[in-house]
Amino acid sequence: MQDIFQDLNAQLRQLLVPKDIFAWQTLLLLSLFSLFIAGALDTVEGASQLAISLLTNLSWIFFTAAVWWGLSEAKSLKVADFHIGPWITGAVLCLFLFRPWLSEFRLRWAISSWPIISTGVMALPHYLNWELEFKPPKDAVKKTLIMTLLVNLLLSSWISFHFRIQDWVRSYPSLLVRSLDESDFVVDFVIDRQQPSQGVALLEGMIREIEKDLDNQPWYQTERWLYTRQIELESALKETLRSLEAPDEQVLLQVEAPAPTQSDQSYLLSLKAIWSGPMARNGAFDLEKICKISPVDAPRAVPTEADEPQPLTRLTEVDCGEDPAEERFRARSL
Amino acid sequence: MEYEPILPLKTIVFQVLFLLVAIAIEAGILRQRLRLGFQTSVQYATVINLAAVVAGWITFLVLEPLSPMEVKAQIMSYLLFNRLLVNGWTTELGAILFAIALVSFFGTFLIKAKGLEYFLRIDKSWALLKKQPKKKLTRGDIYAKARGGGVEDSQTTFDFTDTVIQANAASFSAILLLMLLRFAIQGWSA
């Protein structure tokens, strides 16, 4: 055990301790040193933030340069006769430039631009000499560089396309009520997807708004509400959209409320959410909720004589049922 | 943020496949018409096709977020459900698709011609191409030569353009044929 440890120690020493001042290990140590100082400064009270961020950035720059230098010396790092060193350096550079752990947006940019930045890393030594002067690359090299750039642009496009699709299904989640197994462009790894559309949440929200407006209100107010329902529903929709996960979807998911039908003294108000966006097999779906709005007589809270009957007042009761709305699928009418 | 397990893998597979078909066909035509070497013609065909595909991707990625909702819904419908929404669009749709096909054909032609010219210039074959033995002179050519004009130049440019447009047309037709074949087989098995 001791021997193994000593052996490892010796090997690490041989790898990491520079044989020459002018070597990539020097840069790595410099990077670690700056990081250490930045960390030490961070613990000191009242240390300037500028110094800390400067040191961290320096540490990153040293680290990137060390990786770059170290990998350009490792000639055997090949996949199918192709040096992959620049792509590792590119990854480190992307980490430094974009800090992808901070937000999803940064992560996306870091991954999408990784191939292009790596190509830049690969091309740079062909355009600059050691005195940092511009030199035009040789013709054969130029051709390889153009080819590499094009392949990497294609890779970046594919990655961006992936994120574009993720954006779509996030902005318009009702696209995913069923699996995307008809597509010639994407593979959906959820087999037989059966998820509720956002229409369910939309109708629930609308109903909550309506109940808030009408429940236990005087009946005459309710009748006026029903008369001007278009305006009232519009504001209810606006309120609901604020609480939805993907409010952008409303351009594809319209809410309709036909004139309420009267039965006995109560009204039946039906709310419909109709999907007009794309769907599998050229289908369409809608959801419906029916609310029963009825008057109830309740005793009025006024002082009365003992033997006199309590005067009554007509209040409103809204009953929309407990079950959530369900998608009704049909063929799209042409 | 969580991501849905949806990956554009089919896009990648089909793109690679169609690229291979296009490169094979165009390399053959370039080799025959421009008398290039086997390896050179494959290399040139690869580069010009990659350039065309990348230009197409950039156009799509830039235009898609800028397009109005109707167009966006059509794009999503086509890419995710493999069909177009047809309500009310039928008359315009044909014309728009035709326009897109035309623009992409001539767009790719332009990119391929310029790319090929650039690569020929790098390899210093562009000048050689100009010195190629010409076909029989027509009467008009002889007159033009007598007037001191450079017939040779326009003749080679014409030959070059002709070759590129032929190669482009051939690869487009082949890919179209493959797609039609696929639809036929799908319709058959369904």
Side-chain angles (χ1 to χ4, degrees):
Chain A
M1 194 65 204
Q2 191 81 25
D3 282 352
I4 293 173
F5 185 73
Q6 261 179 3
D7 197 34
L8 195 70
N9 192 13
Q11 271 187 3
L12 265 179
R13 255 169 202 282
Q14 204 180 6
L15 185 68
L16 292 180
V17 175
K19 296 170 194 69
D20 188 2
I21 295 177
F22 202 61
W24 65 269
Q25 287 95 337
T26 324
L27 285 173
L28 188 67
L29 292 177
L30 266 175
S31 151
L32 286 174
F33 178 70
S34 328
L35 193 68
F36 176 71
I37 299 286
L41 260 183
D42 204 24
T43 56
V44 176
E45 291 265 340
S48 88
Q49 284 302 310
L50 183 72
I52 293 173
S53 75
L54 197 70
L55 277 171
T56 345
N57 278 323
L58 264 181
S59 166
W60 268 111
I61 291 169
F62 285 138
F63 182 62
T64 315
V67 170
W68 195 334
W69 195 341
L71 286 176
S72 62
E73 279 174 8
K75 293 285 177 218
S76 57
L77 202 65
K78 280 183 176 181
V79 169
D81 217 27
F82 200 83
H83 286 286
I84 56 161
W87 277 260
I88 301 172
T89 313
V92 175
L93 197 59
C94 279
L95 286 179
F96 169 47
L97 290 177
F98 293 103
R99 316 274 158 109
W101 54 88
L102 288 179
S103 74
E104 200 234 343
F105 181 71
R106 283 162 171 271
L107 176 73
R108 179 177 291 206
W109 272 99
I111 298 177
S112 311
S113 52
W114 175 39
I116 300 171
I117 286 180
S118 306
T119 313
V121 169
M122 181 194 151
L124 200 61
H126 296 291
Y127 280 94
L128 292 174
N129 60 17
W130 278 108
E131 277 76 46
L132 294 183
E133 284 161 342
F134 176 81
K135 60 155 200 227
K138 284 186 222 112
D139 284 342
V141 174
K142 215 191 267 175
K143 287 204 291 187
T144 324
L145 285 180
I146 291 173
M147 192 87 92
T148 321
L149 177 69
L150 286 173
V151 170
N152 280 282
L153 278 171
L154 188 58
L155 290 176
S156 280
S157 306
W158 286 341
I159 297 169
S160 310
F161 182 52
H162 168 70
F163 285 123
R164 197 58 62 82
I165 289 167
Q166 293 295 333
D167 276 347
W168 287 344
V169 297
R170 204 173 286 165
S171 306
Y172 314 107
S174 301
L175 287 170
L176 294 181
V177 283
R178 291 291 179 269
S179 300
L180 304 176
D181 46 11
E182 281 189 322
S183 171
D184 271 351
F185 292 85
V186 300
V187 179
D188 190 350
F189 284 100
V190 178
I191 296 161
D192 206 18
R193 189 193 288 274
Q194 297 236 345
Q195 67 188 47
S197 71
Q198 206 181 209
V200 179
L202 181 72
L203 288 186
E204 290 303 317
M206 293 282 286
I207 283 164
R208 232 173 297 129
E209 290 298 320
I210 291 170
E211 282 175 343
K212 208 164 72 189
D213 279 357
L214 297 183
D215 235 359
N216 289 324
Q217 293 299 307
W219 183 245
Y220 69 90
Q221 275 192 18
T222 301
E223 287 193 306
R224 195 192 305 150
W225 189 98
L226 282 171
Y227 189 67
T228 58
R229 67 181 182 285
Q230 290 307 346
I231 304 163
E232 305 287 349
L233 287 173
E234 209 130 295
S235 70
L237 178 66
K238 225 176 254 171
E239 253 337 282
T240 312
L241 286 177
R242 216 172 290 168
S243 65
L244 283 190
E245 260 177 59
D248 293 343
E249 196 176 61
Q250 62 132 339
V251 284
L252 297 175
L253 192 64
Q254 284 89 17
V255 177
E256 271 181 22
T261 49
Q262 203 165 7
S263 69
D264 287 341
Q265 288 190 315
S266 44
Y267 290 94
L268 289 176
L269 177 69
S270 92
L271 282 177
K272 260 186 177 177
I274 301 163
W275 175 251
S276 61
M279 233 204 98
R281 280 165 275 274
N282 220 14
F285 68 84
D286 57 34
L287 306 103
E288 192 177 25
K289 270 290 239 189
I290 296 176
C291 289
K292 193 176 180 195
I293 300 169
S294 41
V296 284
D297 290 327
R300 202 183 334 199
V302 285
T304 48
E305 306 280 322
D307 53 346
E308 219 176 289
Q310 190 88 9
L312 294 175
T313 178
R314 303 205 100 181
L315 294 182
T316 314
E317 191 185 60
V318 182
D319 176 21
C320 301
E322 293 298 312
D323 305 328
E326 251 179 52
E327 287 86 10
R328 293 183 302 200
F329 293 93
R330 58 187 159 78
R332 187 183 291 275
S333 50
L334 292 182
Chain B
M1 270 300 192
E2 69 182 86
Y3 289 102
E4 293 287 342
I6 296 169
L7 292 172
L9 295 180
K10 285 188 191 173
T11 312
I12 295 172
V13 170
F14 277 123
Q15 178 133 62
V16 170
L17 216 70
F18 286 154
L19 267 176
L20 288 178
V21 170
I23 288 168
I25 289 173
E26 293 192 13
I29 291 175
L30 291 185
R31 196 165 99 94
Q32 221 172 27
R33 301 272 317 247
L34 299 181
R35 287 159 216 278
L36 299 168
F38 181 75
Q39 221 173 358
T40 337
S41 52
V42 171
Q43 192 189 35
Y44 290 178
T46 310
V47 162
I48 58 179
N49 275 290
L50 278 174
V53 162
V54 165
W57 270 114
I58 292 173
T59 317
F60 168 73
L61 290 171
V62 169
L63 286 187
E64 186 268 327
L66 299 177
S67 54
M69 197 57 219
E70 294 156 10
V71 179
K72 220 171 163 176
Q74 293 284 3
I75 295 173
M76 285 194 286
S77 184
Y78 180 62
L79 295 183
L80 301 181
F81 302 108
N82 215 10
R83 60 180 72 237
L84 294 167
L85 290 167
V86 277
N87 358 359
W89 263 66
T90 29
T91 35
E92 292 164 50
L93 206 59
I96 291 171
L97 289 181
F98 187 71
I100 290 173
L102 216 62
V103 166
S104 50
F105 183 80
F106 285 105
T108 46
F109 161 67
L110 209 70
I111 289 165
K112 284 175 179 175
K114 284 291 145 196
L116 193 57
E117 191 188 321
Y118 182 67
F119 258 61
L120 283 168
R121 279 183 199 280
I122 288 182
D123 279 348
K124 309 197 169 55
S125 317
W126 183 248
L128 282 176
L129 203 67
K130 282 187 177 174
K131 284 194 201 108
Q132 240 178 46
K134 264 189 302 130
K135 290 167 212 147
K136 220 173 77 191
L137 286 177
T138 59
R139 186 179 272 269
D141 290 339
I142 294 165
Y143 286 148
K145 208 163 200 178
R147 282 195 302 272
V151 165
E152 214 167 345
D153 200 47
S154 68
Q155 177 74 35
T156 6
T157 332
F158 172 73
D159 260 357
F160 173 75
T161 321
D162 196 38
T163 308
V164 178
I165 219 165
Q166 206 178 48
N168 204 22
S171 61
F172 263 62
S173 313
I175 290 171
L176 194 66
L177 211 66
L178 280 178
M179 282 161 86
L180 286 177
L181 209 66
R182 217 177 94 79
F183 285 135
I185 291 169
Q186 266 178 347
W188 212 2
S189 60

